[in-house]
Amino acid sequence: MLLNTPICDFGWKAPEFTLKDADGTSFTMSDHIGENGLLIAFICNHCPYVQAIADRLAEDTKQLKAEGFGVLAVMSNNYRYVPADAPRFMKKFAKEFGFEFPYLVDETQEIGRAYDAVCTPDFFGFNNKGELQYRGRLDDAGFNDPTNRTPELHNAMRQVAKTGRGPEHQIPSMGCSIKWK
């Protein structure tokens, strides 16, 4: 089912979490807030919306990391229902697209629920105080040719770095529904 993300709830505080990647290494959210903020992306392997933007997500997050942002990705789908999202395939997916950020398994789906994540991809851009400032899409290209795209998420996070606030106008991300237990 195709869903859109809700409007940004400016100032909402990021709930703390510790999750493991596919290798069993633990990552704590607050340890990854960079000097300019943090991006948390709820993604999965099988979603065609995520697959369509995965290479651009990898590129944009490399730039964000270089600009002082932390980046984490969380997979909250019930992978017993959607085996393509299982941890062993997460490793392959991350390698295929060159992700340079931790790709974490939300085994109990508690984090997806705590963040009220609704679809994949679902982006949460926080300032360096852990306050939500962006809940929009990656860019305006979608499934189309990204040659002349506007990198909305990247631009928004740069604004957050400069002002501590995200843009007032944000276009929701859309994608496949999270597969809940």
Side-chain angles (χ1 to χ4, degrees), residues 88-105:
R88 65 188 171 116
F89 297 118
M90 291 170 60
K91 285 178 64 168
K92 181 181 175 198
F93 190 79
K95 184 176 181 180
E96 176 183 347
F97 289 102
F99 292 170
E100 293 183 4
F101 49 81
Y103 187 15
L104 309 173
V105 182

Side-chain angles (χ1 to χ4, degrees), residues 36-49:
N36 287 321
L38 173 68
L39 172 66
I40 299 175
F42 286 84
I43 62 173
C44 69
N45 310 330
H46 88 278
C47 174
Y49 293 90

Side-chain angles (χ1 to χ4, degrees), residues 60-132:
D60 288 359
T61 55
K62 284 177 194 172
Q63 292 175 15
L64 286 173
K65 287 178 67 175
E67 294 171 18
F69 289 94
V71 179
L72 296 170
V74 177
M75 198 294 295
S76 290
N77 274 356
N78 177 355
Y79 62 83
R80 286 163 187 81
Y81 177 72
V82 184
D85 290 334
R88 65 188 171 116
F89 297 118
M90 291 170 60
K91 285 178 64 168
K92 181 181 175 198
F93 190 79
K95 184 176 181 180
E96 176 183 347
F97 289 102
F99 292 170
E100 293 183 4
F101 49 81
Y103 187 15
L104 309 173
V105 182
D106 182 11
E107 186 77 38
T108 65
Q109 300 183 308
E110 288 177 38
I111 306 312
R113 292 186 194 283
Y115 278 72
D116 197 24
V118 296
C119 63
T120 56
D122 197 346
F123 300 106
F124 292 76
F126 298 94
N127 62 21
N128 61 7
K129 297 176 186 143
E131 300 166 336
L132 186 64

Side-chain angles (χ1 to χ4, degrees), residues 39 53-67 69 71 101 137-139 149-155:
L39 172 66
I53 59 118
D55 57 344
R56 300 188 312 263
L57 176 63
E59 180 64 30
D60 288 359
T61 55
K62 284 177 194 172
Q63 292 175 15
L64 286 173
K65 287 178 67 175
E67 294 171 18
F69 289 94
V71 179
F101 49 81
R137 63 187 182 179
L138 181 74
D139 59 31
R149 74 186 181 108
T150 302
E152 295 168 11
L153 173 93
H154 192 190
N155 292 345

